[in-house]
Amino acid sequence: MRIGVFDSGKGGLSVLKELKVLLPEVEFIYFADTEHCPYGNKPVEYIIDRAREITRNLLSEGCECIVVACNTATAAAIETLRREFDVPFVGIEPAIKPAAAISKTKVVGVLATANTLKLEKYHRTRDEWGKDVKVIEVPGTGLVECVEQGTDATPLLRKYIPMMLEQNADVIVLGCTHFPFLEEQIRAIAGADVSIINPAPAVARRVAEVMKLKTETTITK
């Protein structure tokens, strides 16, 4: 069994780590589109075209399922990919639903790329699961580049995290797969009373469910 995973760069490795824990028997092919990173400031059609090209490459390698391990690419392209290719796709999106469920102040912060926050798919998720909470959206401009280049993101985080805390957010959603690599710095700024949600484990569980169903369907046939 072979699964393809792609992201604009290193970010999707945070998802791949969780996938390997749940599916140790699976062979994974990871595609980092570093030449075109970041996606967070690119036009939607550009992202869709990159997602198509990467998907073709992964299918040519025999992948039976593709994980879009990028919030921006999921929001921009996954519906197109599902229409155009006959394999299962699993995407990732900001985990507003679990954040709203655990928030005591009923204020949730979402740290994501500018593109993710402006796309319709994200808006549908926010409107469906964030009805009972106040959602503070903060574009994490420059953070992806810090992760890719290995530079210190602390100055930017000291600007972005207080934007949520000042409005009484007690949960912060990491809305980009690059941001779990900054979780330690985010925790240091946010403090122990603020919960931080990384959706990667939930994505891994969903992939495991999809592959189990796919295997059962194949056996039945």
Side-chain angles (χ1 to χ4, degrees):
M1 189 180 296
R2 184 175 288 179
I3 295 176
V5 183
F6 78 86
D7 179 52
S8 62
K10 299 176 182 177
L13 293 173
S14 63
V15 178
L16 182 61
K17 175 184 175 183
E18 302 296 335
L19 286 167
K20 287 183 173 181
V21 170
L22 277 190
L23 298 166
E25 75 285 1
V26 172
E27 179 183 358
F28 293 97
I29 297 179
Y30 184 80
F31 191 103
D33 197 18
T34 51
E35 185 177 345
H36 302 90
C37 185
Y39 285 171
N41 58 5
K42 299 290 194 304
V44 170
E45 284 303 320
Y46 183 93
I47 298 169
I48 292 173
D49 286 342
R50 290 305 305 152
R52 285 190 182 111
E53 182 63 26
I54 294 166
T55 295
R56 293 188 190 102
N57 288 338
L58 292 173
L59 292 178
S60 73
E61 296 290 338
C63 294
E64 301 174 51
C65 174
I66 295 178
V67 181
V68 185
C70 171
N71 287 267
T72 301
T74 296
I78 199 165
E79 292 175 2
T80 299
L81 297 177
R82 285 172 173 157
R83 286 196 303 268
E84 296 182 1
F85 298 94
D86 189 25
V87 294
F89 287 87
V90 177
I92 186 168
E93 57 187 7
I96 294 175
K97 181 181 179 180
I102 67 171
S103 176
K104 296 177 181 177
T105 64
K106 297 303 177 183
V107 182
V108 170
V110 177
L111 185 65
T113 68
N115 254 351
T116 293
L117 294 174
K118 74 181 182 183
L119 288 168
E120 181 184 351
K121 184 169 177 58
Y122 164 75
H123 292 166
R124 292 200 302 266
T125 298
R126 179 199 60 197
D127 294 345
E128 181 176 2
W129 301 113
K131 294 190 294 285
D132 299 325
V133 297
K134 180 179 181 180
V135 179
I136 310 299
E137 300 166 348
V138 177
T141 305
L143 294 178
V144 169
E145 291 87 342
C146 287
V147 173
E148 290 291 321
Q149 298 162 15
T151 55
D152 185 13
T154 303
L156 289 174
L157 292 172
R158 285 180 177 154
K159 173 184 176 183
Y160 299 145
I161 302 304
M163 292 180 181
M164 296 177 270
L165 302 183
E166 288 166 2
Q167 298 190 59
N168 210 27
D170 64 345
V171 184
I172 295 175
V173 174
L174 302 182
C176 172
T177 54
H178 283 77
F179 297 170
F181 293 105
L182 304 174
E183 188 169 344
E184 185 176 336
Q185 295 100 302
I186 293 171
R187 287 190 184 280
I189 297 168
D193 294 334
V194 175
S195 299
I196 298 173
I197 296 184
N198 171 13
V203 173
R205 291 192 295 272
R206 177 58 184 158
V207 173
E209 291 170 0
V210 167
M211 296 311 293
K212 182 175 183 290
L213 179 61
K214 181 177 173 64
T215 300
E216 290 172 349
T217 303
T218 302
I219 292 172
T220 302
K221 288 180 180 179

